[in-house]
Amino acid sequence: MKLVRYGEKGAEKPGILDASGKIRDLSGIVDDIDGTTIAPTSLEKLASVDIDELPVVNGQVRLGACVGNVGKIVCVGLNYSDHAKEANLPIPKEPIIFMKATTSINGPYDDVELPASSTKLDWEVELGFAIGKRAKNVSEADALDYVAGYFIVNELSEREWQAEREGQWTKGKSHDTFAPLGPWFVTADEIADPGDLNLKLAVNGETRQNGSTKTMIFGVAEVLSYISGFMTLEPGDVISTGTPPGVGLGMKPPLYLKDGDRMHLEINGLGHQQQLVVKKAE
């Protein structure tokens, strides 16, 4: 299933894509696409619904972040061997994890804010997934049973704030609009192998990132298992698994986003995103 959230920001409704790609309204069946809806028993009930009997959502509608009421966003840094190489950093011996504020969540086609004081705003296409059931000290062998579904994340970073200011990475990762999610929440049964997906990102029509989850150092199962040893993961929590090479920081010389730039992201099977960068006034 491909689940969506559509409508005005803060008032999104739940929907599902039918076989022709039209959005069908799930209002009255579920309240939202969130931790409750993506739990295993709820997804089983949804799978039994006759989609063709649901109302069609007509006209152009805004798509919101594909997961609502997210409790936390946990990200993995330097998780692609070729990205670590471009950053001239050693291969991590274990996953590098950090948090991203949930207030950074954005729709897949919404504008991305360029903060007034920003000088090094960078793009990062990533495979994201959401937790379907409570996970604590989960074994790697069982970990994929806890994944409810997958989606695209643009894990935007302000590199100066991240690396050149005091403290940890969180401040460079958490500005409003720095986490577009979606467009679709694709249930795990539709992704045969999360370790074999192509990821692409273009800026103003020029390809910047073109990688594969094959070069991930720590795969989805290992990442989930590892994180669950340090914190309890709840249904609806989002994990973003790292980015392949081609980020602005790794270019020579480095190249960062500016007002008016357009980003286009895609992962096979998960759709695409597009955002316009808009400079935020003081």
Side-chain angles (χ1 to χ4, degrees), residues 128-176:
F129 65 89
I131 301 299
K133 56 185 179 180
R134 193 171 189 265
K136 185 175 182 180
N137 294 321
V138 173
S139 71
E140 188 175 338
D142 295 333
L144 292 183
D145 293 339
Y146 292 78
V147 176
Y150 298 92
F151 42 87
I152 302 170
V153 181
N154 191 354
E155 204 276 284
L156 289 139
S157 305
E158 212 303 334
R159 300 298 191 186
E160 181 191 10
W161 299 358
Q162 176 188 354
E164 300 173 37
R165 304 286 291 270
E166 296 296 328
Q168 299 179 345
W169 289 3
T170 302
K171 68 177 72 173
K173 301 284 189 172
S174 294
H175 192 274
D176 296 352

Side-chain angles (χ1 to χ4, degrees), residues 96-112:
I96 297 170
I97 61 173
F98 59 91
M99 308 295 285
K100 194 174 182 90
T102 56
T103 47
S104 67
I105 291 173
N106 204 25
Y109 306 110
D110 291 345
D111 292 346
V112 165

Side-chain angles (χ1 to χ4, degrees), residues 27-254:
S27 300
I29 295 177
V30 296
D31 293 329
D32 201 351
I33 307 301
D34 58 13
T36 300
T37 301
I38 64 175
T41 53
S42 297
L43 287 180
E44 286 176 12
K45 290 178 182 178
L46 266 186
S48 67
V49 171
D50 185 350
I51 296 175
D52 293 334
E53 294 297 317
L54 299 173
V56 175
V57 178
N58 293 307
Q60 292 289 104
V61 293
R62 170 188 173 272
L63 290 183
C66 62
V67 187
N69 302 312
V70 175
K72 54 183 171 288
I73 307 173
V74 188
C75 302
V76 185
L78 291 175
N79 194 28
Y80 283 69
S81 55
D82 37 8
H83 175 49
K85 183 178 179 180
E86 79 168 348
N88 199 29
L89 292 169
I91 300 296
K93 295 179 180 178
E94 55 186 288
I96 297 170
I97 61 173
F98 59 91
M99 308 295 285
K100 194 174 182 90
T102 56
T103 47
S104 67
I105 291 173
N106 204 25
Y109 306 110
D110 291 345
D111 292 346
V112 165
E113 292 181 4
L114 176 65
S117 62
S118 171
T119 59
K120 297 179 180 180
L121 180 59
D122 206 350
W123 56 84
E124 294 185 66
V125 61
E126 303 198 1
L127 173 66
F129 65 89
I131 301 299
K133 56 185 179 180
R134 193 171 189 265
K136 185 175 182 180
N137 294 321
V138 173
S139 71
E140 188 175 338
D142 295 333
L144 292 183
D145 293 339
Y146 292 78
V147 176
Y150 298 92
F151 42 87
I152 302 170
V153 181
N154 191 354
E155 204 276 284
L156 289 139
S157 305
E158 212 303 334
R159 300 298 191 186
E160 181 191 10
W161 299 358
Q162 176 188 354
E164 300 173 37
R165 304 286 291 270
E166 296 296 328
Q168 299 179 345
W169 289 3
T170 302
K171 68 177 72 173
K173 301 284 189 172
S174 294
H175 192 274
D176 296 352
T177 75
F178 277 18
L181 309 179
W184 314 319
F185 179 94
V186 181
T187 51
D189 60 293
E190 292 201 8
I191 303 300
D193 183 2
D196 187 14
L197 298 174
N198 295 323
L199 309 87
K200 294 183 180 179
L201 182 145
V203 179
N204 300 328
E206 184 175 340
T207 299
R208 301 295 190 195
Q209 294 182 272
N210 186 3
S212 171
T213 55
K214 288 180 179 179
T215 69
M216 288 173 69
I217 301 164
F218 309 105
V220 169
E222 189 171 0
V223 162
L224 193 159
S225 173
Y226 180 84
I227 295 172
S228 76
F230 294 94
M231 65 188 79
T232 299
L233 297 170
E234 298 286 358
D237 284 350
V238 166
I239 312 295
S240 196
T241 59
T243 199
V247 297
L249 177 65
M251 300 185 75
K252 296 180 174 33

